[in-house]
Amino acid sequence: MAKLSLTSISTLISPVRRHRPPHSSLQTTTTTTTMPEQHTLHPSLEIIGGARDLFLPAFNSLHRPYSPFPLLGNNRHVETIFASFFRATPDVRLKRECLRTKDDGAVALDWVSGDHQILPPNSPVLILLPGLTGGSEDSYVRHMLIKARNKGWRVVVFNSRGCGNSPVTTPKFYSASFIGDMREVVQHVGTRYPNANLYAVGWSLGANILVNYLAQESQTITGAVSLCNPFNLVIADEDFRKGFNVVYDRALTNALRKISLRSNSAINHAILFEDMGGEYNIPLAANAKSVREFDEGLTRVSFGFKSVDDYYSNSSSSESIKHVRTPLLCIQAANDPIAPARGIPREDIKENPNCLLIVTPKGGHLGWIAGGEAPLGAPWTDTIVIDFLEYLRSGAYKSPASHGGTEGEQHSTEAMHHLKL
């Protein structure tokens, strides 16, 4: 389920050295946003949503077919694994900031080094949320960071507890439903840059957390993008235990155990769980053979759920997307092995005037090996995401009447100021 960043599959397959292509370097550029004329949408793409007509002017390329890279794009597992191991990882100098949370936990915020001196204080801020066990070292995160930074955005990667080599300081890890850390990150970033609009992009489990956050915090983020979101975690869990998917399941389980319970000469997280009472089953989590077993032994207990099924059912962003009042673009692949297309809440997206959904026929999970930079460069989705964010940034987009709010209330997203929590 996209509690699933596939970097951890390296426990099963030997890693491959990746090189940064020449076009991946950071550049500072000044761009002028011009709105493209309306194109006929290509039938290879499923495009629906209550905000369909409002958001379509943002995109320059949706009139062209989605053309997966030959051979690699024909099989969802080949595409998923190839993207995880062979996609180039751009070189970026990052500056880490460790943020202590109210419950004494810790998350790591990775900023582009030097941007605090280069960019104006009102530059838009983009918060990136990687998938399960993922962090700022992942190729898909780095490519988005580069694309946004080259457009003048200030970018920060939110590494969850234990991810991206951030420390685990409490027995409480993170989960698909827990938005407390996201709330504190947004408050911290908004306080640092009070005159900047905040945006967010999430992948996989990060996307699920992001949508759950947006459903509760409607005025803190100006616009957002969700990619490879599992949405319905019950359905995702069912599919995750079928066929070849067990390879991903095993790899992510290994990564979860390593992050939360790792013990070596430098780090000993296991001692945090000594003498844990209640329903905790630390031996089950420590020896888990599946994500489900890990969640049963540790995650669901940490966050107060009666069972792992209760946890999945009540953590699914498919149940919360109807409450999102922030401009939201969702991009999914119809053949995603980890975020099943049948779990997409299409009807709620159709009825929400703030949401747009794009479904590509191929793409795998975090793959999308297509477009001008395939097969080693940025995923096809990056251009779409940047078009959407730049459109919101330009102020050309006028929001519909507030979803469930006062009739006739409208405002430009460019004029929407970040509200501190």
Side-chain angles (χ1 to χ4, degrees):
M1 8 189 202
K3 307 170 141 191
L4 311 165
S5 161
L6 294 183
T7 54
S8 58
I9 202 170
S10 59
T11 58
L12 301 179
I13 306 174
S14 297
V16 177
R17 183 185 177 98
R18 291 166 291 182
H19 299 278
R20 176 176 57 88
H23 60 262
S24 300
S25 59
L26 276 175
Q27 304 168 15
T28 302
T29 60
T30 301
T31 60
T32 302
T33 302
T34 57
M35 294 300 110
E37 295 184 5
Q38 188 75 20
H39 291 292
T40 301
L41 302 177
H42 196 272
S44 64
L45 301 169
E46 177 188 359
I47 304 176
I48 62 173
R52 185 177 185 271
D53 292 339
L54 290 171
F55 291 159
L56 283 182
F59 306 104
N60 292 296
S61 59
L62 297 184
H63 63 290
R64 296 195 290 268
Y66 179 84
S67 301
F69 195 81
L71 297 180
L72 296 176
N74 293 337
N75 181 285
R76 60 182 183 169
H77 300 302
V78 170
E79 183 167 16
T80 297
I81 294 173
F82 183 94
S84 180
F85 288 101
F86 293 90
R87 175 169 281 149
T89 302
D91 294 332
V92 184
R93 289 185 60 196
L94 299 174
K95 181 179 180 180
R96 172 152 293 189
E97 176 186 12
C98 289
L99 179 65
R100 182 70 68 172
T101 61
K102 293 177 181 178
D103 68 342
D104 209 32
V107 300
L109 302 181
D110 288 339
W111 304 83
V112 177
S113 180
D115 272 2
H116 67 291
Q117 297 174 326
I118 299 172
L119 295 175
N122 63 346
S123 297
V125 180
L126 182 61
I127 303 171
L128 303 182
L129 291 78
L132 181 68
T133 75
S136 56
E137 74 279 2
D138 291 339
S139 62
Y140 63 89
V141 174
R142 291 287 185 95
H143 280 288
M144 178 55 62
L145 184 154
I146 291 286
K147 294 280 189 186
R149 180 58 188 81
N150 284 345
K151 292 287 186 178
W153 291 65
R154 191 186 311 277
V155 188
V156 58
V157 183
F158 168 20
N159 299 280
S160 293
R161 304 183 187 206
C163 299
N165 292 316
S166 62
V168 175
T169 57
T170 71
K172 196 175 202 177
F173 195 34
Y174 71 103
S175 77
S177 62
F178 180 56
I179 64 171
D181 286 352
M182 177 64 177
R183 187 178 283 119
E184 292 194 47
V185 167
V186 171
Q187 182 181 32
H188 175 76
V189 174
T191 300
R192 174 174 290 185
Y193 297 104
N195 297 318
N197 283 338
L198 307 188
Y199 301 77
V201 174
W203 294 265
S204 202
L205 182 68
N208 191 83
I209 294 171
L210 175 59
V211 173
N212 282 334
Y213 172 82
L214 294 174
Q216 296 188 39
E217 304 290 343
S218 61
Q219 294 180 305
T220 58
I221 298 291
T222 302
V225 182
S226 160
L227 301 107
C228 289
N229 191 337
F231 282 118
N232 188 317
L233 301 183
V234 175
I235 290 176
D237 174 58
E238 292 173 359
D239 284 14
F240 204 38
R241 291 175 280 135
K242 297 177 181 178
F244 189 84
N245 280 8
V246 298
V247 173
Y248 309 132
D249 192 9
R250 197 178 313 144
L252 284 172
T253 304
N254 290 341
L256 282 169
R257 294 202 322 260
K258 179 180 178 182
I259 287 173
S260 61
L261 300 168
R262 62 187 167 191
S263 177
N264 56 42
S265 59
I267 302 172
N268 188 357
H269 293 164
I271 61 175
L272 294 170
F273 300 92
E274 287 292 328
D275 299 323
M276 295 293 290
E279 297 182 31
Y280 283 97
N281 190 336
I282 302 307
L284 176 62
N287 298 286
K289 299 296 190 294
S290 67
V291 172
R292 183 181 178 87
E293 285 186 357
F294 182 90
D295 287 340
E296 174 61 44
L298 182 60
T299 310
R300 69 93 180 170
V301 185
S302 296
F303 293 93
F305 293 99
K306 297 177 181 178
S307 67
V308 70
D309 291 318
D310 179 45
Y311 164 49
Y312 293 157
S313 178
N314 288 286
S315 302
S316 298
S317 59
S318 58
E319 297 301 313
S320 59
I321 198 167
K322 64 174 71 71
H323 303 299
V324 170
R325 294 173 174 83
T326 300
L328 175 65
L329 169 64
C330 302
I331 310 180
Q332 303 286 124
N335 70 341
D336 192 321
I338 294 170
R342 64 192 179 96
I344 300 172
R346 286 178 169 83
E347 293 306 312
D348 286 339
I349 290 174
K350 286 180 181 178
E351 294 175 7
N352 190 325
N354 304 292
C355 295
L356 175 68
L357 168 68
I358 300 174
V359 182
T360 59
K362 306 284 186 179
H365 189 72
L366 301 176
W368 283 302
I369 303 175
E373 296 187 38
L376 299 179
W380 175 88
T381 48
D382 278 13
T383 298
I384 306 299
V385 172
I386 291 298
D387 282 348
F388 178 71
L389 294 175
E390 284 286 288
Y391 183 61
L392 298 183
R393 176 190 185 184
S394 73
Y397 161 70
K398 300 292 182 180
S399 71
S402 179
H403 191 201
T406 305
E407 184 177 358
E409 180 186 352
Q410 295 188 343
H411 56 273
S412 165
T413 58
E414 186 65 14
M416 186 191 305
H417 295 293
H418 169 66
L419 302 181
K420 288 180 279 188
L421 299 175

